[in-house]
Amino acid sequence: MSGEADRASNGDRETLVRLPARDPYLASRGFILLAGVILPALTLAFEAYTQASAESFFDPIPSLPHGLLIALVPLANAWVLVELAQPCVRASAALAWLQSVAMGIAAFYALLYLPLTPFAPFMALYFGIGLLPLAPLLSLLAAWRGRVLLKRRLSDQGSARLPAAWRGWVLAMLALIVIDLPFTLTRLGAQMAASAQPETRQAGLRWLRAVGNEEMLRHLCYARSGLSADPIGLLLILGDPVSPIEARKVYYQVTGQAFNDLPEPAIRGLRDWQRGFDRDIGGRVVGSRLTGVSLTASRIDGSVDAKASLAYLEWTMVLQNDTARQQEGRAQIALPPGAVVSRLTLWIDGEEREAAFGTRAQTRQAYEKVVRRRQDPVLVTTAGQDRVMVQLFPIPPNAGEMKVRLGITVPLLIRDGQPARLQLPAFRERNFDIGPKLFHSVWLEADSPLTGTGPLRPERVADAGHALRGEIDNEKLGSRTTWIDVPRNPLLRTVWSDDAGAGPGRVIVQRYQEQPVQPPRRLALVVDASGSLAPAAREIAAALARLPGALELGFFPATDIASTASGAMTAEQAAKALQGLEFAGGQNNLEALARAWDWAAAGSPAAVLWLHGPQPVLLGSVEPLLQYAERRPGRVRLYPFEVIPGPNRVLEALDLLPAVRPVYRNDGLQADLERLFARWTPGTTETLVHREQRASAGVVHDPATKTSGHLARLWAADQIGRLLEQGESGRQAATDLALRYHLVTPVSGAVVLETSQQYDEAGLRPVEKGSVPTIPEPEEWMLIATLLLFLAWLLLRHRQAKPTRLA
């Protein structure tokens, strides 16, 4: 028995010896597979699927080279696993370099994500960024463990040692620097362009115009909490980052456009929670373009009074908010020439609420106070000559809508020997999107035929009415290429209207008068040298040939370098200098305007003709211009000529300056300039509209010449302008007049609040519904006549349908 037991025991020992030994690297290889291969591969696949790379939390724009470089990490770890699975490890140079480069890449991104690492599990669930913050660190640990195992196996085999890892790390950093070079150069250029030193600033602008990345610049225009994913950019961010305000100025100087002309660059991953976050809410600028807020409906209804050469328009807009938070819609609107906002309506819970008119400060304070309470207001204030700023809040979240209506009283443009012309309002700046499929629906009615351009087509209304209707896309509306012509009876020289604002016994009389034009003796020509005006240089030079020879001309190009007075020159010399001008980016126009104004003032009466593009930022101070205008009143008139439509911060700052007389666009650039120059020819006359308030007892009440009550609003707007020319002495009277006639002017605004308590707290009272202008106001008599004719026709048919009674 004992012998058999011994033999069995020996057999068991032999069996145990034959079992394979346990793999000491199994756990390490499993970790490398999961953390160094599968996790980074899944992360890259997820980021590619969501169209963002592994550094989407950071500021630079994701790119294909970044993804390919990061893909080296799982590739190197997989190769290491394959080698560790072999009986004999081969220490190839390619594997050694790839593995060390992968460690360098993983180390860099692990360092960037280090602040997020402790919170990564929570962010993975809440923010929806997967395991992005953990992937670089785990990949680095896996690569480091794989290198340790490779060294150990090579040492056991007595093979050559792996080369030093620092060489691969250096190569990885060089690769990252090269890939991110456009972004790094853009950051360096932006810092130089924001410098206080003029030489450094100019060098930075030249740098950015040559090699800068436009999308990267636009990223810098928004406040960011993330870091930079390029090595040198990381040092710049930690040192002296460019603020969003500075970046917006630099963006304009480099591109010649406003930063919010395009939507905010897409940020995914962790930044999804910031989508639609508005840092300019309740402010005084349009600010950042919001993602998820859009204009979903727009209609312009109007009535045209040919006798009085005026129109009343109501622009109704619906804004929709697809984000998860309340949003504020903001827009700057260019009004028709000489127009004034005379009505503001907001829909609250399906009910129309009329605005209250108050002083500019009073309405602004009421709006900002209610915005802080997250309740329903809308505010309209002026933003320069013939421009208004519209702000409405809150647009409800999750596809919520907000509907607002803007009533605009418009004087038609009088053109000698031609029909009067009506231009439509248009956006100049906005923080919401307008889709390519959205059209502005226009419907105008009048008692005389209307003709228009583009998609506007005439129609008949009843027997005596006329209409013009169509749909206009936003680009055509904004370019002012759409206009409406209204026939004017040249024999009708006087019209009148009751003055409801002054009460019974007062009327407004309007006369058409021929008056000689007083041309300037000295003309300072300021040409914006921004890149957007380059295509217009030839037309401007051609139009200068029509400049009257009696004018003393000075040429002041608005460039990055301070302009100097050119002295008197001929139109031919100015045209030659213009054609040799270098147009680039966005230029500082304020210095050239100040020098031109100073030069022109020596030859009063004088004019400064400013040919300009968008001015979305102020690159200097407007105080010199204000000082010249206040100390030398009436000597110089500033004629802004908008060559390229866009926002204009300079005109906003000069809102109260009566010497500003914008030139209104009707046709092409050259034709409009030649028409202006023709007006300055000695002996030229023009038809002007003169409005005055009179006692009704002194006016012949001819019903045929009675016209719309909007005549009183236009008279009040004229009077407000004259009072503001008197300075502070006329400001209070101008304010009282604006409030009495319910007008938005440089000294007054309109605001809609939600409750009567809010109005009481602000010291405001909303306008009574019965006193607001409506559509169609001038043609109410036509509707009544049509209704009476219809009733008479029904009565006649009823009598004819009665059966004849037999005798």
Side-chain angles (χ1 to χ4, degrees), residues 150-173:
L150 278 176
K151 284 184 176 181
R152 187 176 300 173
R153 290 286 300 275
L154 290 173
S155 176
D156 293 342
Q157 296 175 185
S159 304
R161 299 176 60 186
L162 289 175
W166 66 267
R167 296 185 179 92
W169 289 47
V170 171
L171 182 59
M173 294 301 295

Side-chain angles (χ1 to χ4, degrees), residues 5 106 154 231 357 361 500-501 538 598 735:
L154 290 173
F357 289 79
R538 181 174 297 180
D598 191 33
T735 303

Side-chain angles (χ1 to χ4, degrees), residues 15 25 135 198 279 392 530 640 670 690 747 777:
T15 303
Y25 305 133
R279 301 167 185 86
L392 57 157
S530 298
Q670 183 176 342
H690 178 71
V747 293
E777 187 182 25

Side-chain angles (χ1 to χ4, degrees), residues 639-768:
Y639 292 91
F641 189 105
E642 188 180 53
V643 179
I644 306 296
N648 196 315
R649 300 289 178 261
V650 177
L651 293 183
E652 287 183 42
L654 303 179
D655 197 5
L656 290 172
L657 201 62
V660 179
R661 305 293 174 88
V663 180
Y664 304 114
R665 303 294 308 276
N666 288 309
D667 298 303
L669 172 59
Q670 183 176 342
D672 285 342
L673 281 174
E674 290 178 349
R675 185 180 300 107
L676 175 64
F677 296 155
R679 289 183 62 249
W680 289 340
T681 303
T684 302
T685 61
E686 63 181 347
T687 302
L688 296 179
V689 176
H690 178 71
R691 305 180 187 95
E692 60 179 335
Q693 187 187 65
R694 287 187 177 184
S696 59
V699 178
V700 178
H701 292 75
D702 183 0
T705 60
K706 184 177 181 181
T707 184
S708 165
H710 286 285
L711 206 62
R713 297 182 178 93
L714 293 178
W715 168 83
D718 294 340
Q719 286 296 108
I720 291 168
R722 297 188 187 99
L723 290 169
L724 291 178
E725 289 182 3
Q726 302 174 11
E728 289 298 325
S729 59
R731 189 181 181 98
Q732 185 58 50
T735 303
D736 294 340
L737 201 60
L739 301 187
R740 188 188 315 156
Y741 286 85
H742 304 150
L743 303 178
V744 175
T745 70
V747 293
S748 61
V751 64
V752 178
L753 305 177
E754 187 175 17
T755 65
S756 57
Q757 180 182 356
Q758 293 169 0
Y759 283 113
D760 293 339
E761 291 176 354
L764 298 169
R765 178 176 297 177
V767 179
E768 297 293 335

Side-chain angles (χ1 to χ4, degrees), residues 308-613:
S309 299
L310 64 82
Y312 175 66
L313 307 176
E314 288 188 345
W315 191 355
T316 305
M317 294 167 275
V318 178
L319 270 68
Q320 180 173 301
N321 174 20
D322 292 326
T323 70
R325 58 168 57 87
Q326 294 176 338
Q327 299 286 11
E328 179 187 40
R330 298 184 296 273
Q332 190 182 108
I333 296 175
L335 302 178
V340 60
V341 172
S342 54
R343 185 184 186 186
L344 176 62
T345 309
L346 177 67
W347 275 257
I348 300 178
D349 296 329
E351 180 184 351
E352 295 183 27
R353 302 285 184 89
E354 297 296 333
F357 289 79
T359 66
R360 193 182 182 98
Q362 193 178 21
T363 53
R364 165 66 63 181
Q365 290 171 2
Y367 178 82
E368 292 178 352
K369 184 176 181 180
V370 177
V371 164
R372 288 193 293 269
R373 295 180 181 177
R374 302 284 171 175
Q375 293 172 328
D376 286 291
V378 59
L379 173 70
V380 175
T381 54
T382 57
Q385 290 279 352
D386 298 333
R387 297 194 180 200
V388 293
M389 175 83 165
V390 180
Q391 299 173 250
L392 57 157
F393 179 90
I395 311 175
N398 303 319
E401 293 183 341
M402 201 167 185
K403 183 177 179 181
V404 64
R405 176 172 56 207
L406 208 63
I408 307 169
T409 301
V410 185
L412 305 185
L413 292 175
I414 304 299
R415 304 183 301 160
D416 293 331
Q418 300 181 48
R421 178 161 288 182
L422 168 65
Q423 287 185 336
L424 298 176
F427 291 116
R428 281 295 175 264
E429 190 179 13
R430 51 190 165 81
N431 74 334
F432 48 84
D433 292 329
I434 297 179
K437 295 183 179 180
L438 184 134
F439 290 85
H440 304 276
S441 179
V442 178
W443 190 311
L444 305 175
E445 293 188 359
D447 55 0
S448 57
L450 302 174
T451 57
T453 57
L456 298 179
R457 58 188 183 275
E459 291 184 358
R460 291 299 300 269
V461 178
D463 294 331
H466 300 267
L468 194 71
R469 58 178 299 195
E471 293 185 333
I472 307 174
D473 63 50
N474 192 64
E475 183 178 355
K476 289 184 178 179
L477 187 69
S479 63
R480 292 294 180 93
T481 57
T482 303
W483 41 260
I484 297 94
D485 278 346
V486 183
R488 188 174 65 88
N489 182 3
L491 301 179
L492 183 63
R493 310 298 295 179
T494 304
V495 295
W496 65 279
S497 173
D498 292 322
D499 188 354
R506 308 298 291 180
V507 295
I508 301 298
V509 178
Q510 175 175 286
R511 288 188 172 88
Y512 300 96
Q513 299 177 345
E514 297 289 336
Q515 292 186 359
V517 177
Q518 183 182 16
R521 291 174 48 196
R522 184 176 265 202
L523 174 65
L525 178 64
V526 179
V527 178
D528 181 6
S530 298
S532 59
L533 271 74
R538 181 174 297 180
E539 286 190 83
I540 297 173
L544 287 175
R546 302 293 298 273
L547 198 66
L551 271 176
E552 185 179 359
L553 177 65
F555 180 59
F556 297 82
T559 63
D560 290 331
I561 304 173
S563 175
T564 57
S566 60
M569 62 169 56
T570 65
E572 292 79 8
Q573 291 172 330
K576 185 176 180 180
L578 176 64
Q579 291 177 336
L581 194 61
E582 182 179 354
F583 294 87
Q587 307 290 331
N588 181 8
N589 284 237
L590 285 171
E591 292 187 16
L593 284 172
R595 293 178 183 272
W597 196 300
D598 191 33
W599 179 85
S604 179
V608 175
L609 177 59
W610 178 29
L611 306 177
H612 64 85

Side-chain angles (χ1 to χ4, degrees), residues 80-254:
V80 169
L81 284 178
V82 171
E83 288 297 329
L84 290 176
Q86 302 300 322
C88 182
V89 175
R90 294 170 297 174
S92 65
L95 174 60
W97 276 100
L98 179 62
Q99 206 271 343
S100 57
V101 167
M103 287 184 65
I105 295 170
F108 176 73
Y109 284 104
L111 177 64
L112 290 182
Y113 284 92
L114 188 60
L116 297 177
T117 302
F119 312 101
F122 305 100
M123 292 189 296
L125 296 175
Y126 184 75
F127 294 111
I129 60 171
L131 296 176
L132 177 62
L134 286 176
L137 178 60
L138 294 177
S139 297
L140 174 61
L141 294 176
W144 171 79
R145 183 58 181 166
R147 190 174 184 84
V148 170
L149 295 182
L150 278 176
K151 284 184 176 181
R152 187 176 300 173
R153 290 286 300 275
L154 290 173
S155 176
D156 293 342
Q157 296 175 185
S159 304
R161 299 176 60 186
L162 289 175
W166 66 267
R167 296 185 179 92
W169 289 47
V170 171
L171 182 59
M173 294 301 295
L174 290 176
L176 287 167
I177 290 173
V178 170
I179 288 176
D180 289 314
L181 191 59
F183 307 141
T184 301
L185 294 178
T186 300
R187 288 187 186 277
L188 286 171
Q191 283 197 330
M192 294 172 63
S195 171
Q197 301 298 324
E199 298 82 4
T200 305
R201 186 166 60 247
Q202 293 305 318
L205 291 176
R206 289 193 297 268
W207 186 329
L208 290 172
R209 288 168 184 166
V211 300
N213 182 281
E214 183 272 341
E215 191 173 358
M216 178 65 189
L217 270 180
R218 198 148 40 92
H219 269 271
L220 297 178
C221 294
Y222 294 84
R224 300 297 189 199
S225 59
L227 300 174
S228 168
D230 55 303
I232 299 179
L234 177 60
L235 299 177
L236 295 176
I237 287 292
L238 295 177
D240 185 18
V242 177
S243 70
I245 300 300
E246 294 171 331
R248 294 173 185 182
K249 292 182 179 180
V250 173
Y251 183 88
Y252 162 69
Q253 291 177 288
V254 173

